[in-house]
Amino acid sequence: MPFVYTGKGKKGGRTENGSPPECAKQACAIQWCLAKRDHKENLCRAFIENWEQCRDKYVVKVNDEQGD
């Protein structure tokens, strides 16, 4: 498995690429899939959709906490 930098030790609500930290596992899965499948996004669509669902849940959670 190729090395994937996850930014350990950083504090904050989102990672450098804008992804919520709660979805880091899904983001790593996308990177793994793309690396294994010659960066063909269509072959990794299920991983991407899984990350999008996680991100959407996080956005709703944050909005609820902020009262938006």
Side-chain angles (χ1 to χ4, degrees), residues 12-52:
R14 291 185 175 248
T15 58
E16 212 172 278
N17 65 1
S19 178
E22 288 83 350
C23 302
K25 181 178 176 183
Q26 291 85 350
C28 288
I30 293 171
Q31 292 179 355
W32 173 84
C33 181
L34 290 170
K36 290 289 183 182
R37 293 177 173 88
D38 198 29
H39 296 277
K40 293 182 177 153
E41 185 178 324
N42 62 320
L43 298 176
C44 300
R45 197 70 218 151
F47 291 98
I48 295 168
E49 289 171 1
N50 189 5
W51 175 81
E52 288 171 342

Side-chain angles (χ1 to χ4, degrees), residues 1-22:
M1 184 161 166
F3 171 76
V4 177
Y5 177 72
T6 58
K8 297 289 182 193
K10 290 185 178 181
K11 305 281 184 205
R14 291 185 175 248
T15 58
E16 212 172 278
N17 65 1
S19 178
E22 288 83 350

